[in-house]
Structures are given as C-alpha cells and as structure tokens.
Amino acid sequence: MVSQSIEDYLKTIYKLGRRGERVTTSAIAERLEVSPASVTNMVKRLADMNLVTHEPYRGVALTEAGKKIALETIRHHRLLELYLAEALGIPWDKVHAEAEKLEHVLSDDLEMAIADALGDPLTDPHGAPIPTIEGELPEPHQTPLAEVEAGQTVIIRQVSDEDAAKLRYLATLGLFPNTAIEVLDVAPFDGPLTLRVGDAEHVVGRELARNVFVTHEPQEE
C-alpha cells in the first residue's frame, strides 16, 4: 500500500523533473515545505522501494514504477478538479485544494466513472493535460505569457493552479484557458505587460504572467 506521503513525493519529483529542473533534495524540500532531513530520509525509503534513484550531486529521478504512481496520482487530481468544477460548480480557485485531499483515496472504479461522466477529458479546468489511463501525459509546447513580445496575439492554454489568490485575480481579468489575448505593450526591465482581452485592456505584472502559458496558433482539436 502506497501512502499519501509517498504519492505526494513522487508527484513532486515528476513535476520538478518535467519542468527541466534538477531534482535535488533541497528543491523537493522547498516544494513540499518540509525539512531537507525529512526529504533525505524519504528519498532513501523510496530508493529502497525501487521508486526512485538518487545519485549525490546529480539529483533524484523516478524509476518506471515511481513514474507510474506519480502519473496515476496526477490523473486522479486533474480529473477531480474538473469534476468538482463542472459537476458541482466549485470555483476554479478552490478545486486544487479539494483535489489534493481526495486524489489519494479515489478508487479505480470511481476514477473510471468520473472519466466516463466527463467524456474522457483531455485537460483540467486550468488547462493542464490529464494523463491517460495508460499512463501517458502529453506536454504540448507552450510559452509563458511573460516571454511574449508586444504586438503578438496568443491563446491561453494553461494557468498554474497552485495559488488560489492568483486564480481569482486572473478570473477578474477574463484570463481563462482558450481565451485569445493581444499583447499591446511589454515594459522593459521586467516591467508589466499591457493586454487586450476582448474589449478591455489590462496591465499584468511579469510575475503573474509567468503563471500563464500560451500558444501562438490554435491547437487542433
């Protein structure tokens, strides 16, 4: 039986590695808000379970068994987020915290029932891809809004779901997945972006823009 703590560690390692970051014990500690000593102990335990490999100065990596558990946990989380949003009407800034609690207790039968009820969705309410039942997770090429140049029109594909306050603010600006926006101006020296969203113009700080991911062309359905 895999514990909630183990699932959280494996999911965190997967996400850090997927972003191209070196998965060190300090990075894991920072992400999970635990002590480095706790991470070191857990990594040793995970290695003994053949769920990760760890080489000093090179970092932590998932084995195939560890990756399978991580992707299953992510699938549970994102399906739950979408179900909570669509079926129960829970706001998109609250579903992440609820899914964090429920992802560890979701049975295979209930997972399948939720997926069927939602029509086997490809993305969650924040635009993040949902791993398939076979354990595949496509990662389409997306660009942080903070890196888009002035004069370009882009389509929002995904927003980070880990900060509820930022999600609430993005909602007030109409910055949802599949929304087309025009970047009117980019201030120098890491300054803000001026955006046109529909008929409205908004100024968005660079920090917030790093949490919004876009594509320049509509993706094929």
Side-chain angles (χ1 to χ4, degrees), residues 21-119:
E21 301 177 34
R22 186 162 169 265
V23 186
T24 62
T25 54
S26 58
I28 299 169
E30 181 179 357
R31 182 75 171 179
L32 291 175
E33 299 182 339
V34 297
S35 70
S38 296
V39 174
T40 298
N41 290 335
M42 177 58 84
V43 167
K44 289 179 179 177
R45 180 181 174 191
L46 295 175
D48 289 340
M49 297 172 69
N50 195 35
L51 297 176
V52 305
T53 59
H54 180 220
E55 296 182 45
Y57 309 110
R58 300 193 66 177
V60 182
L62 296 177
T63 63
E64 284 302 313
K67 182 180 177 182
K68 180 179 179 181
I69 295 171
L71 286 171
E72 183 178 8
T73 306
I74 293 170
R75 175 175 168 82
H76 287 181
H77 181 96
R78 293 178 179 173
L79 281 173
L80 283 164
E81 283 193 338
L82 190 60
Y83 185 78
L84 292 169
E86 291 198 355
L88 303 183
I90 296 177
W92 79 331
D93 58 291
K94 295 183 178 180
V95 294
H96 176 76
E98 295 299 330
E100 282 285 301
K101 305 170 190 174
L102 298 171
E103 66 188 26
H104 304 290
V105 297
L106 188 67
S107 68
D108 291 342
D109 288 344
L110 186 53
E111 173 200 326
M112 292 295 295
I114 290 174
D116 287 344
L118 295 172

Side-chain angles (χ1 to χ4, degrees), residues 119-141:
D120 290 320
L122 300 178
T123 59
D124 71 10
H126 312 103
I130 297 173
T132 66
I133 190 66
E134 294 82 16
E136 298 176 355
L137 179 58
E139 292 285 1
H141 178 71

Side-chain angles (χ1 to χ4, degrees), residues 2-15 28 31-32 42 46 69-70 73 77 99-101 103-104:
V2 176
S3 69
Q4 174 178 333
S5 179
I6 288 174
E7 289 180 344
D8 283 339
Y9 268 84
L10 296 175
K11 181 175 69 171
T12 296
I13 294 166
Y14 179 86
K15 288 184 175 181
I28 299 169
R31 182 75 171 179
L32 291 175
M42 177 58 84
L46 295 175
I69 295 171
T73 306
H77 181 96
E100 282 285 301
K101 305 170 190 174
E103 66 188 26
H104 304 290

Side-chain angles (χ1 to χ4, degrees), residues 116-174:
D116 287 344
L118 295 172
D120 290 320
L122 300 178
T123 59
D124 71 10
H126 312 103
I130 297 173
T132 66
I133 190 66
E134 294 82 16
E136 298 176 355
L137 179 58
E139 292 285 1
H141 178 71
Q142 298 171 345
T143 302
L145 178 58
E147 298 177 8
V148 176
E149 297 179 357
Q152 295 184 328
T153 297
V154 295
I155 299 175
I156 297 173
R157 294 300 179 187
Q158 183 177 345
V159 297
S160 175
D161 66 352
E162 295 172 3
D163 189 315
K166 288 179 180 177
L167 284 171
R168 286 192 292 273
Y169 184 64
L170 289 171
T172 67
L173 304 180

